[in-house]
Every structure is written in structure tokens, then in C-alpha cells.
């Protein structure tokens, strides 16, 4: 308890007291790490004494948006074991047909850029991963946004059509990734599709989102709250523009 209190509950107290939370399980709460604390404090289901690789997915209504919380802690980042793919295919297939405007919230992203070689290619995407394979076969058309962490950076990835945008806000915790990256991800290939427009930012921060008459406005902020990028979720795209002023 002392560790959980120091690392999370004490510093998060102001937000916990004022705002509702939906928490998704990360790879450090898997069956070889801090799963017991996850089950006791953050998992929405009854406490389990024996660790499970996957918790059932669930939907949280949020006005006209429905959040699909997906437990991806054990999903393979580099390949697609059939038994894992089946787990996530079934999670997508179990979504009620009348549920509209879905945002999938996960720890591990479905699509991501983690390393770029000297030719400007996404060198980590040579193989299709578990989540990519499951999305290819079973992702409902009502999914409008994929929102994740895991990769220690900020990425906003848009595809021409057929896939919802992937947003990765992984710049809020531990050390940032040290891989070679480019600020613009346009034209890179991920799982048999090309990125139409994408942004990468390598700086500590967090993201806020606000509903507006024109859609959803999002702002990436640094640790002082200064805006690093203005974004908008509209018409199946999550477009971002970096601010002109340099964050201090």
C-alpha cells in the first residue's frame, strides 16, 4: 500500500476528488508485476486472488460517446499469436450492435511508430501484431478513435479511410523513449496501410479533450500546462497543429 499511495493515490488526490476516472490495465499490472494492487484498487470487477491475463472488456457511456475499455496488458507487441488474436476479436464481436460512436481506450496502442530508420521507414512495423490483426478482422465501423499509452511519447496517427485515428498519450509517466523518430509521420506504413497524416512529440506532457459544437478539441500540454499542439477530432481524423511558441 505504501508504494501505491506514494506513486499514485496521494499525488492524484485532487483529481480523484473532482473527476470521474476510467482506468485501463497496463503491462506493469500484468501477472508478473503489480497485478494484486490492480485487482484491489483499480479493477472494476470483484477482487481475484488468482491473476488472469485478460479482464472482460466493458463499455462506459459518456454522453454521446461510448468508451470501450479493453485490457491489453498481455497483448504481444511484435507478433500475433492466434490465441491472443482470438481474445480481442471476441471482445470486438461482443459489442452490442446498437452501441454507436465508440472510443477504444487501451494501454497498448493498436497502431504505433516506435523507431524510424535512416530511410525514414517505420522499422518496428515489419510484422502485424496481435491488436492489429484483431482490428483488421473485427473492429466495428462505429469505432471513431483509438486512445492509448504504452509508447513513451505523443503520437497522433491518421489513415486515409477504413481505420479510426490512433492517439498515443504516453508522455506522462516514466522516461521518454530514446528511439530515433521524426516529428512528421506522414507516408509511413503500419499493418498494410499508409499514414495519411501523423505527428510525433518527444516531451513530457498530457492531453486534455473538450467537446465543442464542431467536434472534440484536444490540446497537448507540457508539465507547466502550456499548449504544445492544438488538435481536433472531426470526420474520422485527429488532426494536430503544433503551436508556434516554443514550450519553456
Amino acid at each position: 500500500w505504501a508504494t501505491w499511495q506514494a506513486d499514485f493515490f496521494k499525488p492524484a488526490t485532487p483529481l480523484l476528488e473532482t473527476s470521474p476516472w476510467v482506468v485501463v490495465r497496463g503491462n506493469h499490472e500484468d501477472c508478473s508485476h503489480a497485478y494484486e494492487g490492480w485487482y484491489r484498487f483499480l479493477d472494476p470487477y470483484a477482487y481475484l486472488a488468482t491473476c488472469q491475463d485478460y479482464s472482460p472488456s466493458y463499455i462506459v457511456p459518456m454522453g454521446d460517446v461510448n468508451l470501450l475499455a479493453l485490457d491489453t496488458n498481455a497483448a504481444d507487441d511484435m507478433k500475433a499469436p492466434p490465441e491472443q488474436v482470438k481474445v480481442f476479436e471476441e471482445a470486438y464481436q461482443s459489442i452490442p450492435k446498437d452501441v454507436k460512436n465508440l472510443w477504444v481506450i487501451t494501454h497498448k496502442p493498436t497502431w504505433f511508430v516506435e523507431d524510424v530508420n535512416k530511410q525514414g521507414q517505420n522499422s518496428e512495423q515489419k510484422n502485424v501484431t496481435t491488436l492489429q490483426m484483431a482490428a483488421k478482422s473485427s473492429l466495428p465501423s462505429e469505432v471513431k478513435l483509438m486512445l492509448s499509452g504504452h509508447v513513451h511519447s505523443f503520437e497522433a496517427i491518421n489513415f486515409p479511410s477504413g481505420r479510426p485515428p490512433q492517439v498515443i498519450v504516453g508522455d506522462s509517466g516514466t522516461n521518454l523513449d530514446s528511439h530515433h523518430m521524426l516529428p512528421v509521420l506522414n507516408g509511413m506504413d503500419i499493418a498494410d496501410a499508409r499514414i495519411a497524416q501523423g505527428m510525433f512529440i518527444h516531451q513530457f506532457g498530457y492531453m486534455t479533450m473538450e467537446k465543442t459544437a464542431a467536434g472534440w478539441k484536444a490540446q497537448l500540454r507540457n508539465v507547466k500546462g502550456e499548449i504544445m499542439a492544438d488538435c481536433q477530432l472531426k470526420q474520422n481524423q485527429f488532426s494536430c497543429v503544433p503551436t508556434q511558441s516554443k514550450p519553456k
Side-chain angles (χ1 to χ4, degrees):
W1 164 246
T3 302
W4 281 87
Q5 171 75 340
D7 283 351
F8 176 66
F9 286 104
K10 185 175 180 179
T13 294
L15 281 174
L16 288 167
E17 290 178 341
T18 59
S19 303
W21 286 58
V22 181
V23 187
V24 292
R25 185 179 177 188
N27 61 301
H28 286 272
E29 290 77 50
D30 66 8
C31 289
S32 63
H33 290 84
Y35 67 89
E36 187 172 352
W38 166 259
Y39 282 148
R40 289 186 183 278
F41 304 134
L42 300 175
D43 186 75
Y45 298 104
Y47 174 73
L48 294 175
T50 303
C51 186
Q52 305 294 315
D53 283 334
Y54 311 101
S55 300
S57 59
Y58 57 94
I59 294 174
V60 180
M62 190 179 71
D64 60 358
V65 171
N66 291 284
L67 304 179
L68 174 64
L70 203 59
D71 180 357
T72 59
N73 86 92
D76 199 302
D77 290 326
M78 301 307 298
K79 53 185 183 295
E83 67 278 6
Q84 287 195 3
V85 174
K86 184 179 179 181
V87 169
F88 297 102
E89 286 178 335
E90 291 177 347
Y92 287 135
Q93 292 164 2
S94 67
I95 298 170
K97 301 300 182 183
D98 61 345
V99 175
K100 308 297 182 183
N101 200 15
L102 275 165
W103 293 3
V104 177
I105 56 173
T106 66
H107 177 71
K108 293 186 175 181
T110 296
W111 302 291
F112 61 97
V113 178
E114 190 178 7
D115 200 2
V116 178
N117 61 23
K118 293 181 179 179
Q119 288 72 44
Q121 298 170 326
N122 178 17
S123 57
E124 294 298 321
Q125 291 299 304
K126 297 176 182 177
N127 300 313
V128 177
T129 69
T130 294
L131 297 176
Q132 291 166 1
M133 183 65 75
K136 183 177 181 180
S137 64
S138 302
L139 191 69
S141 61
E142 282 299 327
V143 174
K144 306 303 182 185
L145 177 66
M146 312 289 273
L147 186 58
S148 310
H150 190 53
V151 178
H152 298 174
S153 63
F154 173 83
E155 296 182 22
I157 298 171
N158 296 280
F159 299 97
S161 62
R163 290 182 184 178
Q166 170 76 69
V167 179
I168 301 171
V169 188
D171 55 349
S172 305
T174 186
N175 292 340
L176 298 174
D177 281 334
S178 58
H179 300 302
H180 176 253
M181 292 291 291
L182 301 172
V184 177
L185 307 178
N186 302 14
M188 295 183 184
D189 293 323
I190 298 180
D192 305 321
R194 184 153 293 181
I195 297 176
Q197 187 273 332
M199 171 187 285
F200 168 85
I201 294 180
H202 189 259
Q203 187 169 341
F204 282 117
Y206 61 97
M207 188 179 76
T208 60
M209 293 186 70
E210 179 183 354
K211 187 178 181 181
T212 69
W216 283 84
K217 178 179 72 175
Q219 294 177 316
L220 182 68
R221 301 171 182 270
N222 64 15
V223 295
K224 295 182 179 179
E226 300 163 332
I227 299 172
M228 295 187 284
D230 284 307
C231 309
Q232 186 176 41
L233 175 61
K234 186 179 180 181
Q235 297 178 345
N236 211 39
Q237 296 288 298
F238 192 92
S239 55
C240 295
V241 178
T243 56
Q244 295 301 316
S245 59
K246 294 289 185 181
K248 298 176 182 179

